[in-house]
Every structure is written in C-alpha cells, then in structure tokens.
Amino acid sequence: MNTFPLFRFAVVSVLLFSHQTGIGADTTNPSDAAAKTGKAVKPFWRGVHLLVNNDQQILVLKEQLPKLATVGVNTLILEVNYNFEFKSHPELGAPGGVKAAHAHELAAAARALGIRLVPQFNCLGHQSWSKTTLPLLTKHPEFDETPGQFPGNTNIYCRSWCPQHPDVNPVGFALIDELVEAFEADAFHVGMDEVFIIASEHCPRCKGGDPARLFARAVNDLHGHIVGKRKLEMLMWGDRLLDAKAMKGGEWEYAKNGTAGAVDLIPKDIVICDWHYEQQSHYPSVPFLLGKGFRVWPSSWQPLAGAKAFSAFSREQKSARLVGFLCTVWGKAKFDAVAEWPPVVEVLAEWK
Ligand SMILES: [Zn+2]
C-alpha cells in the first residue's frame, strides 16, 4: 500500500522503534552447508528489501537490475502483499497490481545476473493500515482476530487474522503459491512482524490462549506448507521472537505482548530477518538468535550511521549462520535510485 512507508516513517519519527517504516533448509543450499561445516557463508546474502505497490515498479526494477548487481546486490526481497493480480483469489488482488507475466520477466532477468528474488506476503499481522483494512479481512471479515471490533481501525495499530480459523490457511497458501510461481522463487518471506493483536479476548477461538503458542502455530502452519510441502526456504522478521524486557527495548522491534516464547517452538531452519535501525553499540538479538540455532539476516534501514553500526556489529559475530546483510528501503529511495542510495551502496560493500 502506498501509505505504508509514510505512516511507518511517522511512527518511527515519534517512537524511534517501529520497523515497517523483516529457509527448511535444503542441504544443497550454500548457507546451510556452511552452517554444517562451520565455514562462513560465501557469498553473503547482500539483500535489498523493497515494497512493491504496483506493476509499473516491477518494470522499473527490471531496468535497474544491472545497476543493483554492480553494487553487489544478490538478493531482492519483494514485499508484494495484495498488490498482485491473483488468479486463485482475484477479489484479493489490487487494481494495477503486479502481473504474473512481468514477474516472470523480472525473474529471468534477475537469474541472468545472479540475483535471487524472494517474494514476501505479510502473514498474520499487518492486515490493515491506518483506516484501511486490507483485502483479506475486507472480503473475509470472519477471519479477523477481532471481528466487528475497532470500527475505522481506531485505537489499534494493525489488524491480524486469526491463526486458528479453520479456513484461513488455504487462502493464504494459495496466494503464497501464486507469488512463488510468478517470481520463480526458491524462498518465501512471510513477514510476521509487529503482530500486536493475538490471543484477543474478542476471538472465540483464541480468547485466553497463550500468545507464544498461537504465534508459533501460525509460523509452523506456514512452515509446513512452504518448507514441508513446497521445499522452499522460509524467511520471517524476528521482532516477535525477542523479549523486550530481557533485551531492554521497545514494543516494536521487541515483543511486549507475550509472543517471545515462540522462539523455542518453531523450526530452526527459518531464516530470521532481525531488524534494527537505530545506532547502537550492541545488538543483543543477533547473538541470541544465532545461539538459538537460527540463521540470521541482520536488517537495517536508515540512518546510515545506524546501518553501518549494525553491519559492523554483525560482522564481528563470525558465525556460519550469519547469512549476510539486508537493507530495507521503505520507500526512502525510488526504485530507479535504490542502486545509488547510500545505505545500500556503502553498507553492502562491506559484505563482499
Ligand atoms: Zn483467533
């Protein structure tokens, strides 16, 4: 949605912590092999995360791929969400959404340059933005974790779907499958960041439930489909796995709503995109998640000083499961200027 990054920026400027301002391992995967041998990942995943709002941006991105390859980018996370012409559920797509034919063209061009495409669809949380409720819960209000509550989305951050509704996963899996096919992907990013509404008193299934177990259930259901059935790698943002009290952080990049226990209830072959934007001397989540056995992909944004500090700290970890570095953009650079954006150019150069 076009409004996402702007609102995210506003949230960041006020609260300083919001992020949306985040693989079953295949034994042939280089990073997994590295994890087993203890050798550093080579090549590192030098990634850029882009919000894709419409089909035109895919065409621009295709033209930009050579420049991105020149500055070292070898992975693109493309957060498409509902901005796609879905055939399985056309009612959930957006007007002007990405056409599958253009996604295929982008995939071919990226493959020729050695750039891996990883599509993303925000699962569980981020089902509304400001006053706008996104298509899934508009067309299927019965999937809402807080059905009929918070008219106009007042007094909430974002809506969530109910992880225990028996009919929600088949719909989500169908959308994921279409994105995987269109972008010819061997990995998928499920989002899962900033899920504030979970185990709601307004949900007849989840009321009184354990947020950690319910969050883990959603992760495990997705893993079963993406990794178990489709044999792809799975990536997700890490903030709900991090305990705000233990790490002395805010409720955006760490969890204050009881989900952090899920860290011990989900498969270790998921790649955790651990996002932090502010300049700090220490980022405790990186050694924490590595220590839990996950592969970790540190993810920065701006300011440049914050990205550089996080990159430097991450490089000190010397772990075979530290897969590289991801630069999120959140609309701060247009698609035709991402390859010149300082946080991308200067930070990714450190990972060659
Ligand atoms: Zn529920």
Side-chain angles (χ1 to χ4, degrees), residues 145 161-165 203-207:
E145 177 68 7
W161 76 49
C162 172
Q164 298 197 99
H165 192 290
C203 178
R205 290 166 296 273
C206 301
K207 180 181 182 181

Side-chain angles (χ1 to χ4, degrees), residues 78-337:
L78 303 177
E79 184 180 333
V80 176
N81 300 327
Y82 297 95
N83 300 310
F84 189 84
E85 288 190 349
F86 291 108
K87 291 190 172 59
S88 63
H89 293 277
E91 75 282 6
L92 300 181
V98 175
K99 297 178 186 302
H102 290 156
H104 280 294
E105 290 175 15
L106 182 72
R111 193 162 49 243
L113 290 163
I115 296 176
R116 185 187 199 196
L117 300 185
V118 181
Q120 180 187 338
F121 181 85
N122 277 339
C123 295
L124 192 61
H126 276 288
Q127 299 304 316
S128 67
W129 195 259
S130 187
K131 289 182 168 29
T132 302
T133 298
L134 299 182
L136 183 73
L137 298 188
T138 302
K139 303 294 182 185
H140 294 281
E142 71 275 17
F143 292 163
D144 198 328
E145 177 68 7
T146 53
Q149 302 295 317
F150 311 112
N153 298 337
T154 51
N155 300 319
I156 59 170
Y157 176 57
C158 295
R159 290 185 182 274
S160 302
W161 76 49
C162 172
Q164 298 197 99
H165 192 290
D167 299 326
V168 72
N169 281 337
V171 177
F173 294 167
L175 304 184
I176 289 170
D177 287 349
E178 277 199 58
L179 293 174
V180 166
E181 184 185 346
F183 289 98
E184 302 174 22
D186 63 357
F188 196 85
H189 193 310
V190 297
M192 308 279 292
D193 60 311
E194 299 177 339
V195 178
F196 291 159
I197 297 179
I198 190 164
S200 170
E201 62 178 328
H202 301 295
C203 178
R205 290 166 296 273
C206 301
K207 180 181 182 181
D210 176 357
R213 291 196 172 278
L214 288 166
F215 187 81
R217 174 184 172 138
V219 173
N220 289 328
D221 285 352
L222 288 160
H223 183 274
H225 182 75
I226 293 168
V227 180
K229 183 177 177 187
R230 300 299 308 270
K231 310 302 180 191
L232 308 169
E233 288 193 303
M234 178 167 148
L235 297 82
M236 62 181 281
W237 299 121
D239 52 85
R240 291 308 92 183
L241 306 177
L242 306 173
D243 182 60
K245 198 171 182 182
M247 299 198 181
K248 300 180 173 57
E251 66 177 339
W252 301 90
E253 64 193 288
Y254 305 97
K256 283 187 177 176
N257 61 336
T259 59
V263 74
D264 292 319
L265 304 173
I266 62 175
K268 297 296 192 289
D269 58 14
I270 300 170
V271 175
I272 307 297
C273 301
D274 181 25
W275 64 269
H276 302 283
Y277 301 153
E278 300 302 313
Q279 184 175 1
Q280 301 168 208
S281 59
H282 189 68
Y283 297 84
S285 57
V286 177
F288 171 76
L289 291 166
L290 288 170
K292 289 288 184 182
F294 293 102
R295 284 175 290 166
V296 178
W297 202 8
S299 311
S300 69
W301 180 45
Q302 61 174 24
L304 179 59
K308 284 189 166 181
F310 193 19
S311 172
F313 179 85
S314 299
R315 290 184 64 81
E316 291 171 3
Q317 300 306 305
K318 307 293 184 194
S319 168
R321 279 181 276 103
L322 199 297
V323 300
F325 203 78
L326 175 63
C327 296
T328 65
V329 178
W330 302 122
K332 203 62 184 172
K334 292 184 176 176
F335 276 47
D336 62 1

